[in-house]
Amino acid sequence: MKFKTKLYASIGSLLLLISIIVVILMNMLEQSTVNMNVVVNELYERTEMASIIKYETLNIGREAREITERHSDEAVQAEVNAWEESHKNIQIAIEELEQKDTQEKSQELIAKYKTLHNTYENLSHQVMTTIKIDSQAEIPPSLWDEAELTRKRMLQIADLLHGLQEQEMKNELLRSRETYNWAVTINYIYLAIALTIGIGLTIWIIKRITDNLNTVTSVMKSVTTSDFDSLPRIKISNKGEIGEIAGAFNKMAQALEDHSKLEKQLKEEAEA
């Protein structure tokens, strides 16, 4: 292989190796980013569900109070509709959160919230039924107090659920940042390894070429102190430019030896 071809091949191999490494590492980094986004989006949805539960738990208390204040029938009906809508939103949000968040602590809190929510619904329905039958009927204070106490417990659990989701979101963001930094570090390490291998390969090729050149130079210098009857030869199997030079030199040395021998033979014949 010719010197120019070897040099170009080594440089091309280095660039190809770096390109392959870069493509692989970029794909790894992209996949890591995609996975991170999926996890963060799921955590965001869970946090949103917890926020809905907390917000609607506050709403049902406000709406229940407005209902018991006994304004006009239209106003009461509007508040009843809003109260029922809040319960539906809570039911949807709690079911979705139960499916998405499989943490043991969250599952325990969700189970407790659902139990309290069912209790609150039963108590509230008793109040609503009483008001629908007789808008002026007196609501037993004990019934209303029990319902309000249950709702406050629900709100406490909703706060805990929301806090858990926010903490998990913070933890995941921290883990994602660490994972991203790790991926970037690995990218630099692999790239450095690729550069080292490529540079080492180039140096090895250049060293081989240089060694061959030194061999040629050394043999050529030794010709000046050698007998023309036995000239040194360049022993190189290289088929590139250096191999061609070595082959031409060896042919020349052989021709000089033949010429020297012929000259000596003619001289001996002339003296005889």
Side-chain angles (χ1 to χ4, degrees):
M1 186 182 292
K2 294 186 176 181
F3 173 76
K4 185 190 296 184
T5 305
K6 283 186 176 180
L7 186 59
Y8 287 163
S10 63
I11 295 174
S13 299
L14 174 61
L15 294 176
L16 179 61
L17 180 62
I18 293 174
S19 299
I20 293 173
I21 293 294
V22 168
V23 170
I24 293 174
L25 294 178
M26 289 302 294
N27 286 336
M28 289 173 57
L29 191 59
E30 182 180 357
Q31 187 60 43
S32 175
T33 303
V34 170
N35 294 338
M36 179 178 65
N37 288 335
V38 170
V39 173
V40 170
N41 287 336
E42 181 180 341
L43 285 171
Y44 176 79
E45 290 177 1
R46 283 162 47 181
T47 304
E48 187 69 18
M49 293 301 102
S51 297
I52 291 173
I53 294 168
K54 181 178 177 180
Y55 174 76
E56 295 295 0
T57 302
L58 288 169
N59 273 350
I60 58 177
R62 175 184 58 78
E63 291 157 355
R65 284 193 300 272
E66 292 182 359
I67 292 171
T68 56
E69 288 177 359
R70 319 284 179 84
H71 298 299
S72 64
D73 291 342
E74 293 80 5
V76 169
Q77 186 58 47
E79 291 299 333
V80 169
N81 292 339
W83 181 83
E84 291 176 348
E85 184 66 25
S86 293
H87 276 289
K88 289 180 182 177
N89 292 338
I90 289 174
Q91 191 66 34
I92 293 172
I94 201 71
E95 288 178 359
E96 289 187 5
L97 184 59
E98 187 176 21
Q99 292 177 357
K100 293 179 180 295
D101 189 356
T102 58
Q103 297 180 93
E104 183 178 352
K105 182 63 176 177
S106 297
Q107 291 293 319
E108 290 177 0
L109 290 174
I110 290 171
K112 290 179 181 178
Y113 186 93
K114 290 173 72 174
T115 301
L116 290 171
H117 184 243
N118 290 335
T119 302
Y120 181 81
E121 275 193 309
N122 292 333
L123 294 171
S124 299
H125 277 302
Q126 293 180 40
V127 174
M128 299 304 168
T129 302
T130 301
I131 292 175
K132 288 179 179 179
I133 294 174
D134 183 1
S135 60
Q136 301 302 320
E138 185 69 24
I139 304 298
S142 59
L143 181 62
W144 176 248
D145 291 343
E146 185 179 356
E148 185 60 17
L149 180 60
T150 302
R151 188 190 66 83
K152 288 180 179 179
R153 290 176 180 172
M154 289 165 55
L155 186 57
Q156 290 175 349
I157 294 177
D159 280 332
L160 291 174
L161 275 172
H162 189 263
L164 275 177
Q165 304 310 315
E166 285 189 335
Q167 186 59 48
E168 182 66 18
M169 173 72 82
K170 291 177 183 178
N171 293 341
E172 186 58 38
L173 288 174
L174 181 60
R175 285 193 294 269
S176 298
R177 184 188 303 171
E178 292 174 350
T179 302
Y180 181 83
N181 292 337
W182 174 84
V184 171
T185 302
I186 292 298
N187 283 351
Y188 286 135
I189 291 174
Y190 283 168
L191 189 58
I193 292 173
L195 285 171
T196 302
I197 294 173
I199 293 172
L201 179 62
T202 303
I203 292 174
W204 178 74
I205 292 174
I206 293 175
K207 186 176 183 303
R208 284 197 61 189
I209 295 172
T210 304
D211 289 343
N212 288 335
L213 286 173
N214 289 335
T215 300
V216 171
T217 303
S218 177
V219 172
M220 286 184 172
K221 285 181 179 179
S222 67
V223 170
T224 58
T225 59
S226 299
D227 186 355
F228 276 14
D229 290 339
S230 180
L231 292 172
R233 299 291 193 273
I234 300 174
K235 297 179 180 180
I236 292 178
S237 59
N238 190 296
K239 296 182 180 180
E241 289 95 334
I242 297 175
E244 292 176 359
I245 292 173
F249 176 84
N250 291 337
K251 288 180 181 179
M252 181 187 69
Q254 183 64 46
L256 288 173
E257 286 181 355
D258 293 342
H259 178 74
S260 177
K261 290 177 181 178
L262 179 60
E263 186 179 356
K264 283 184 179 182
Q265 182 180 355
L266 291 175
K267 185 178 180 181
E268 288 174 357
E269 289 177 357
E271 291 178 349

